[in-house]
Amino acid sequence: MRGGSVAVVGGSIAGCAFARAAARGGAERVTVLERSPGHLEDRGVGLCVLLDRYDELVLAGHLDDGIRHHPLTTRHWVAKDPAGAPRGRVLWVQPMAMHSFHWGVLWRGLRERTPEQVEFRPGTAVTAAGGTDLDGPAWVETANGGREPYDLVVGADGHRSVVRAAVCPEARAEYAGYVAWRGSFDARLLDRLPGGAARWPEAEVITACYPGGQVVLYRIPGLTPGSTLVNWVFYAPAPDWLRTAGGTDPLGFAVGSLDAARRGELSALAERVLPPYWAGVVDLTPVERILLQPIHDLETPRRTAGRLLLAGDAATLVRPHTTSGAAKALQDACAFEDAWRAAEGWADLLPGYDRERGAAGRALVELSRRLGRAQVTGAPDWSAVDGPAMAAWWSDQLGASGGFGGLALERKPSGPAGRRRGADPAGADPRAAPRSVDRPVARSRGPFT
């Protein structure tokens, strides 16, 4: 199928990935409509992609080693030690190969790899979309009052998607009953802690558990090449003041919007429930680099209607426990490109995409709910578990899905099997930047101290 016009509503990770997929599939005109007037690099949260998912996406041409990332090799589960060990008592050392990313670095890499014929229109807020009749065109309305027709409209506009309101207006985000504090800061500040950065090898992900929550800590690349940030996500019960300040709003409180008193509550919580070193890591974070995100779930009964299609968080919003947010959006784009290449017309394209990604998205939502119950709202007695018990507990959470980090792609990408680090993957954009990966990292040796 060649030709046609595509509007992508939303220009973040999912939007850039879908614009590239549509252009590579053969669309004649691709327009990305992004409500933000500027660049999006300042979204400083970290994210991870499991190595298996990363390799699939590299072979599919949707990622490459030129986008800076930080290698992670193990996940250390710890809890506060009654004896006061700074890093806590080790519950389990879990092998887990991942690459971590800075959201802004990943977005910028995807944006730079978008084919030149894609038109980006920042500062264009879409207020409505339509086109549920497959026999007629789709359309979008913008804040300036104009209506523009397209052959296909992709909703990559997140959990408050305007396009989703047209595809399945009954779908609503559901509050999970707890929150995630998030923060990041320059990793050089770790030297201020007792023992400094040496207490925390760079390839370790730390999950520090306590009754009612946990904090996950890992390093990510900074916006400046060669720099490194500490990134953390602190799951906790909702503070009392949140219930009267929009506690059910998925947007929560953005970076820079928290005052010193609320920042103090977070520091007090960290000191009370976390091993001293990890409480100190949280406390190093400047208040202007902290945000609060109420946790929500969202699943949709369908991803397409007529000439409308949903992508990324507009289609499914999963809790961060699954480590699948970015991979999910990129896999959606991969499935969309495959469906485009196999289709003879719009009537083939949309159902093919919906079949593959609809079931996968709903399975991820259910897995994220199980992980949230097992790790936060219904967590075990951490003082009574050890490595074998933790391994069995983890297996019970995953069940038969095997979906942690995102389900494996159903497609079989062309090209040689295995990882092709630094190679141009089959179907990759020849304009991709050269390989540039953060420096090698130290591996953990010996017990916690």
Side-chain angles (χ1 to χ4, degrees), residues 179-229:
V179 302
W181 299 83
R182 290 179 176 268
S184 63
F185 60 88
D186 191 323
R188 291 175 295 184
L189 295 180
L190 292 173
D191 289 333
R192 299 180 181 179
L193 297 177
R199 283 194 184 273
W200 182 13
E202 293 190 358
E204 290 181 2
V205 179
I206 301 297
T207 300
C209 305
Y210 69 94
Q214 60 183 218
V215 60
V216 183
L217 311 98
Y218 54 93
R219 290 174 175 87
I220 63 174
L223 281 175
T224 303
S227 65
T228 302
L229 302 180

Side-chain angles (χ1 to χ4, degrees), residues 367-392:
L367 174 60
S368 78
R369 288 171 172 156
R370 290 203 307 272
L371 292 174
R373 288 191 294 267
Q375 299 183 34
V376 179
T377 57
D381 179 0
W382 302 112
S383 67
V385 297
D386 55 14
M390 288 287 293

Side-chain angles (χ1 to χ4, degrees), residues 7 9 33 35 124-131 138-150 153-155 157 160-167 308:
V9 182
L33 309 170
R35 70 170 52 245
T124 305
V126 173
T127 57
W139 52 266
V140 298
E141 288 184 355
T142 58
N144 64 11
R147 175 177 286 200
E148 304 173 12
Y150 293 91
V153 171
V154 175
D157 46 345
R160 286 184 163 178
S161 171
V162 169
V163 182
R164 186 178 65 244
V167 174
L308 304 176

